[in-house]
Amino acid sequence: MAERRDSNSRSLLRRLRDTLALQGDGQHRLDRITHLIADSMGTAVCSIYLFRDPETLELCATEGLNPQAVHHTRLRIGEGLVGRVARMGAAVNTGNAPSEPGFRYMAETGEEIYSSFLGVPIQRVGEKMGVLVVQSKAQRQFSDDEVYGLEVVAMVLAEMTELGAFVGDHEGMGQSHRFPVLFRGTSGQEGACEGNVWLHEPRVVVTNPVGDDPDAEQARLSEAVEELQAQINDMVLGAAGLDVDHRQVMETYRMLANSRGWMRRMSEDIEAGLSAEAAVEKEQSTNRARLEQSGDAYLRERLSDLDDLSNRLLRLLTGQGRDTGADLPENPVLVARNIGPAELLEYGRSLRGVVLEEGSVGSHAAIVARALAIPLVIHTKRVTTEALNGDPILVDGDQGVVHLRPEDSVASAFRDKIAMQAEAQKRYADLRDLPATDRAGLTIGLDMNAGLMADLPSLANSGADGVGLFRTELQFLIRTSVPRRDELALTYKRVIDAAQGKPVKFRTLDIGSDKVLPYMKPQDEPNPAMGWRAIRVGLDKPGVLRMQLQALLRAAQGRPLQVMFPFIACPEEFYDARDALLRQRDREAAMGRPVPEDLKIGAMLETPSLGFAPDSFYETCDFISIGGNDLKQFFFAADRENERVRRRYDTLDTSFLTFLERIIVRSAAYNTKLSFCGEDAGRPVEALTFAALGIRTLSMRPASIGPVKHLIRRADLAQLRQIIHRARNEGHKSVRNAVTSYLAQL
Ligand code: PEP
Ligand code: MG
C-alpha cells in the first residue's frame, strides 16, 4: 500500500514539476496544478490560496469551486478553516467542515455541498505562503496517508512559489518577498541608515524540489548526514577541554544529529518524491511551526537546535552558505537571527546597520554595534525569513523600527530625517575644537566611552577630552580563550599611544551578568545582574585580575595611567582591588620595569550603597565614575535589559537627582573627581541636568559629544540649576519638563 502511495505521489510530483516548464503565465500553471491534484487525490475540489499581502489570503486557483470566485474570495489570516490552517501552520482535517468552530461559509464559491475538508499550509521554513485545500462531498476524514501526501505536494508548491512560478497578472500574487514590511523591534543602538540587506546566513534556494531517483536522493542525504555528523563530532572533540555544561550542549547536538526519527521522516519524504534538500526543508518547516507555537523553554531549545542542524544540512546538500562568493551590496545592512561579537567585528565599519531577530540590549553584539556606532535594532521577529539579499532596507535605531522594501513615500521621508541628522553632525563638527563652556564661562569635560581600538579615531574626530570609560571586556569577549598578558599589554599600549597624551580611564574586566565569556563556565544564577560579576569575580579569582593589572602597568611604559574598578558595592572591595594594583606596581618596580609616573585609581559607583559609603572611601578614591546604567537599575529596581520596565522610571525623577546630588556634595567635600559615564550622559537633556547639578565631567558615545557641547555652549548652567531647584520645590516629580522648556528656548 505504502509502495503504491509512494509511486502515485512521485508521479504527481513529477507532473507538478513539469508544469514549471509550461508555456504561459503563473495563472495557467496554478489552474493546471489544481486539476492535477484533484485528479490524483480523487477529490471533487482542489484550491490554492496565496497571500496577497501579509494578512490576506486570496483564492488563486480552483478545480471544483465556482471559477468566478477566483481572485475575488479573500480571507484574513485566522478567518475560516483556510485562515486557521495559515495561522497555525498545521493541517486541518475534518469530515464535517460546517460543524467546525470558526467555519466560514463563502457563498460565492459554491462550497456548501462539500462536507469534508483537508487544508495544509504552503510554507517554507517558517514563511507562510498560502494554503492548499482539497474538499469532497462524502462525509469522511482524510487518512493519515492522504494528509501526508498533500503536505508533500504543498512543500513542492512552496518551493515553486519561491522560484516565482506563479507570478501572473494579478498584482502581488504568488510573489513572496515583494511587499513592503514594517518591523517593530527594540532599539539596540540609536542612529538611522538606509541600505541594502546582507543576510549573514543567506537563504538556501532549492531549485529542484522533486527527486527523480529516490535511491540517488537517499544516497545524497546519507552522505550529507554523515558529513554533518563528522562536523558535530569534531565540535564535540573541540569541546573536550571546555566545561561540563558546554560539553553537554555539544552532546545534545550530536544526539539530535544521530536521531533516527529525523532521518526516517526525511527518508519517507524522499520516497514520496521529494529531493533530499526539499525533504530536509519539509521537516524543518514542520519543526519551525512547532517552535513558534511552543511555550516550553526546554522543547524550544531542542527545536531550535534541530533548526540549526537542518540549516547546516541544507548548506551541505546545496553547497550554498556563507561563502557564496557574493559581494557585499552597497551600504550593507546586516540581517541575522543573531551574531557573535567576533563575527560582527569582522564586518566592522563596512556595515551601515544591523538588524537582529534575537539579541538583547546588553548583548555582545549590541556592545560591538555601539562601539562601531552603527544603528542596531533587535527583537525584529521574522526579518530573516522576509528579507532577501540586496532588498532595500531602512533602519531606525532611535525608534527600533525597520522598513523592508519601503514604499517610496516612506523612503523619502526617512531620507529627510537622515539628511537632517547629517546636517546637524556637520554643524557639530564645527564645534570640535571649541571647549564645552557655558555662557557664564563654566567648562564641562566631555569624554568618550570606548572599548575597541576601532573607537580611537573618534577621539580626535569628536573633539573628546579623553576616554572616560574604556570597557576592557571586549578583548575578552571576542576570543575563544583568555587572552594572554602580552597580547593585552600590546592592545592597551596601542590605545594609550592612539590617545596621544589625552587621558584614558581603563575599567578592569566587567564580566558576569549579561557579559558571559564563551570560555567561562556560565553561572546558573537566578539574578545574574546582582550576582557574581565584575569586581566580585576579579577578587574571587585574582589570577585574571592580576594579569590584567600587569598588562595595564606594562602598557603605560612609565606614562600616566588611570584604572577604575567596576561595580564596587562597598569600600572594602575598592581597597582590596586597589591594593592588588599597588602590589603589582611595586612588583614591576622591583623587577626594574618602568611604572606609571602618575597612577590614578578610581571606583565605579553603580550601586546605591556606595552613595552612603563612609567619608574615608570618598577620601581614598582618586576619582569616582557613576555607571548610571547599572546605578539606575538598582536605584529603581528595574532591570536595564527588561523592555517592560527599563523605561518605566525617569532619570530626571527628583528622587534620583537628590541621590546624585548627595554623591556630588560628598565628592566635592574631598576633592574627589566625579564623572558620569552611563548612557544618560550622552542624552542632551539628562547631560545638561547633570552638569547643572555639579557633575563636571560626562563620558558618552562619541556621536553625542557634538549635540551635548552645542547645548552647553548656549546654556547658563547656574540658571538651569535654579530652574531645576524651582521645579523640585514646586513638587514636580520629574524636572524633565522644566529642563526641556529651558533648552527649547536657547
Ligand atoms: C554603567 O553601568 O553605566 C556602565 C557604564 O557600565 P556598563 O554599561 O558597561 O555596565
Ligand atoms: Mg555597569
Side-chain angles (χ1 to χ4, degrees):
M1 178 66 198
E3 277 283 296
R4 227 194 61 219
R5 180 201 78 192
D6 291 343
S7 68
N8 238 345
S9 161
R10 277 208 295 273
S11 92
L12 172 61
L13 294 196
R14 269 198 289 264
R15 281 193 286 162
L16 290 181
R17 185 195 48 198
D18 293 344
T19 62
L20 271 177
L22 284 183
Q23 294 294 322
D25 65 3
Q27 186 64 48
H28 184 59
R29 293 200 183 101
L30 282 170
D31 294 341
R32 170 99 186 123
I33 285 171
T34 50
H35 173 76
L36 285 174
I37 297 172
D39 184 46
S40 166
M41 300 269 303
T43 55
V45 175
C46 171
S47 310
I48 293 174
Y49 296 79
L50 294 176
F51 279 100
R52 67 167 294 116
D53 63 50
E55 289 298 313
T56 321
L57 285 152
E58 182 172 306
L59 177 65
C60 285
T62 185
E63 170 83 13
L65 296 185
N66 180 4
Q68 306 295 329
V70 171
H71 295 302
H72 290 287
T73 292
R74 286 180 190 162
L75 294 138
R76 310 279 299 161
I77 190 164
E79 187 183 351
L81 297 187
V82 173
R84 198 204 305 173
V85 173
R87 165 159 295 162
M88 295 190 321
V92 170
N93 177 11
T94 170
N96 187 359
S99 71
E100 282 292 314
F103 173 79
R104 188 184 146 228
Y105 165 55
M106 291 170 293
E108 73 278 12
T109 63
E111 67 175 345
E112 67 277 15
I113 54 173
Y114 303 108
S115 261
S116 58
F117 172 103
L118 169 59
V120 296
I122 302 174
Q123 61 187 355
R124 188 178 183 267
V125 215
E127 185 191 356
K128 298 177 193 304
M129 295 166 149
V131 176
L132 172 64
V133 176
V134 289
Q135 290 171 279
S136 58
K137 283 186 187 157
Q139 267 207 21
R140 69 168 188 99
Q141 282 233 216
F142 288 89
S143 69
D144 288 350
D145 276 358
E146 285 170 313
V147 175
Y148 175 76
L150 201 65
E151 281 173 346
V152 170
V153 168
M155 181 69 219
V156 173
L157 293 188
E159 299 298 349
M160 290 168 82
T161 310
E162 176 77 12
L163 293 171
F166 307 132
V167 178
D169 298 338
H170 291 273
E171 208 199 325
M173 300 313 314
Q175 295 185 36
S176 48
H177 307 116
R178 185 186 164 282
F179 309 108
V181 191
L182 168 75
F183 298 92
R184 287 188 196 284
T186 306
S187 165
Q189 151 81 6
E190 285 111 11
C193 75
E194 175 174 18
N196 300 299
V197 169
W198 176 256
L199 288 167
H200 180 52
E201 307 229 291
R203 293 165 66 82
V204 171
V205 182
V206 175
T207 46
N208 61 332
V210 179
D212 285 320
D213 176 354
D215 292 341
E217 294 302 318
Q218 294 287 9
R220 287 182 63 227
L221 179 67
S222 304
E223 209 177 294
V225 168
E226 264 170 42
E227 205 174 328
L228 175 72
Q229 286 166 348
Q231 279 184 1
I232 305 287
N233 282 342
D234 284 352
M235 281 162 64
V236 174
L237 285 177
L242 297 176
D243 58 70
V244 179
D245 295 347
H246 208 120
R247 279 206 311 272
Q248 265 170 5
V249 172
M250 292 296 156
E251 284 294 352
T252 316
Y253 246 62
R254 172 146 72 179
M255 228 172 60
L256 280 173
N258 287 297
S259 150
R260 292 227 182 101
W262 188 40
M263 276 304 290
R264 195 196 59 242
R265 287 192 300 276
M266 292 190 291
S267 290
E268 281 174 5
D269 297 337
I270 289 178
E271 284 311 311
L274 293 182
S275 65
E277 43 272 60
V280 177
E281 267 210 12
K282 179 171 180 297
E283 293 316 314
Q284 192 181 11
S285 294
T286 313
N287 185 47
R288 272 276 178 98
R290 282 175 67 201
L291 184 66
E292 273 167 28
Q293 303 281 329
S294 170
D296 176 333
Y298 177 80
L299 186 63
R300 282 182 64 83
E301 213 154 287
R302 293 291 79 79
L303 292 171
S304 173
D305 286 349
L306 197 55
D307 194 60
D308 190 45
L309 286 175
S310 306
N311 276 332
R312 284 168 187 269
L313 198 49
L314 273 177
R315 277 188 237 125
L316 286 172
L317 276 165
T318 59
Q320 299 167 30
R322 280 186 206 174
D323 302 318
T324 51
D327 292 327
L328 278 180
E330 235 181 281
N331 300 323
V333 171
L334 184 114
V335 174
R337 277 174 69 187
N338 215 342
I339 186 165
E343 286 170 307
L344 189 51
L345 265 179
E346 245 170 69
Y347 284 107
R349 289 188 198 275
S350 60
L351 297 177
R352 288 285 158 275
V354 180
V355 179
L356 301 178
E357 288 194 359
E358 298 169 4
S360 72
V361 179
S363 69
H364 310 154
I367 295 170
V368 173
R370 246 168 258 156
L372 296 172
I374 41 182
L376 164 71
V377 178
I378 55 175
H379 303 156
T380 318
K381 283 203 184 116
R382 301 183 56 77
V383 68
T384 59
T385 320
E386 294 284 353
L388 288 186
N389 261 344
D391 275 349
I393 188 167
L394 309 172
V395 183
D396 185 341
D398 304 328
Q399 305 294 326
V401 166
V402 174
H403 301 269
L404 182 66
R405 300 181 286 266
E407 312 254 15
D408 288 349
S409 55
V410 174
S412 89
F414 201 80
R415 268 175 219 133
D416 289 348
K417 175 178 165 157
I418 295 178
M420 268 166 58
Q421 286 182 350
E423 205 158 295
Q425 285 301 335
K426 245 196 348 237
R427 257 185 282 128
Y428 301 142
D430 295 341
L431 300 178
R432 197 183 58 191
D433 300 321
L434 300 175
T437 305
D438 82 343
R439 288 207 311 261
L442 177 64
T443 300
I444 303 297
L446 300 186
D447 285 344
M448 67 171 232
N449 295 345
L452 292 168
M453 261 318 284
D455 288 319
L456 269 295
S458 301
L459 191 50
N461 299 339
S462 66
D465 300 319
V467 178
L469 164 66
F470 189 90
R471 291 180 163 103
T472 59
E473 48 278 2
L474 279 179
Q475 276 77 37
F476 286 77
L477 285 168
I478 58 182
R479 282 186 173 73
T480 48
S481 57
V482 182
R484 293 201 330 268
R485 182 187 54 204
D486 294 351
E487 274 177 79
L488 283 182
L490 187 62
T491 310
Y492 301 152
K493 175 186 167 307
R494 287 201 184 122
V495 172
I496 299 171
D497 291 348
Q500 296 187 334
K502 289 186 176 177
V504 181
K505 289 188 171 81
F506 287 97
R507 172 176 80 183
T508 62
L509 199 54
D510 180 7
I511 46 160
S513 184
D514 57 305
K515 298 165 192 144
V516 181
L517 300 182
Y519 41 88
M520 186 175 123
K521 186 175 185 308
Q523 299 297 310
D524 197 8
E525 297 179 301
N527 289 305
M530 295 196 274
W532 197 56
R533 56 173 290 200
I535 198 63
R536 299 172 183 179
V537 180
L539 293 174
D540 291 357
K541 297 249 176 225
V544 176
L545 179 64
R546 209 180 305 132
M547 183 272 283
Q548 194 186 20
L549 295 175
Q550 284 168 1
L552 285 165
L553 288 162
R554 291 186 190 179
Q557 297 186 327
R559 292 170 286 185
L561 179 68
Q562 301 200 37
V563 177
M564 63 179 173
F565 296 106
F567 210 62
I568 298 288
C570 67
E572 287 67 33
E573 287 171 343
F574 176 69
Y575 299 148
D576 288 350
R578 185 173 174 274
D579 285 350
L581 175 54
L582 294 176
R583 257 199 315 277
Q584 289 313 314
R585 185 200 54 188
D586 295 346
R587 193 168 159 268
E588 292 290 298
M591 288 196 288
R593 294 206 171 89
V595 289
E597 60 185 48
D598 181 19
L599 179 60
K600 293 266 187 289
I601 310 176
M604 282 190 73
L605 195 156
E606 304 189 88
T607 59
S609 59
L610 215 54
F612 300 96
D615 292 348
S616 51
F617 167 74
Y618 282 81
E619 227 174 327
T620 320
C621 263
D622 289 328
F623 63 90
I624 290 175
S625 188
I626 299 174
N629 306 337
D630 273 312
L631 180 61
K632 234 169 68 183
Q633 79 165 337
F634 296 115
F635 188 82
F636 290 113
D639 187 344
R640 66 192 259 190
E641 295 247 5
N642 183 336
E643 278 312 311
R644 284 223 177 120
V645 298
R646 79 186 187 98
R647 289 180 224 263
R648 195 178 175 100
Y649 304 97
D650 190 350
T651 310
L652 301 189
D653 188 293
T654 52
S655 60
F656 189 60
L657 297 185
T658 304
F659 181 61
L660 288 185
E661 271 186 328
R662 179 187 179 89
I663 301 166
I664 294 166
V665 168
R666 302 195 67 198
S667 304
Y670 294 98
N671 251 337
T672 308
K673 286 207 158 43
L674 179 68
S675 59
F676 190 110
C677 68
E679 291 299 309
D680 284 319
R683 302 194 170 107
V685 178
E686 282 81 346
L688 268 92
T689 307
F690 298 159
L693 289 182
I695 299 181
R696 295 288 175 254
T697 306
L698 302 168
S699 190
M700 61 197 74
R701 60 183 76 176
S704 300
I705 290 185
V708 170
K709 192 190 279 186
H710 170 76
L711 278 177
I712 290 177
R713 289 178 61 82
R714 287 166 168 246
D716 179 334
L717 292 171
Q719 197 185 344
L720 178 58
R721 183 187 175 85
Q722 282 174 5
I723 290 169
I724 292 169
H725 283 312
R726 195 178 320 131
R728 209 157 36 173
N729 291 339
E730 284 168 4
H732 291 281
K733 191 173 142 7
S734 162
V735 304
R736 182 170 298 278
N737 285 344
V739 177
T740 312
S741 318
Y742 172 75
L743 297 182
Q745 47 87 38
L746 290 179

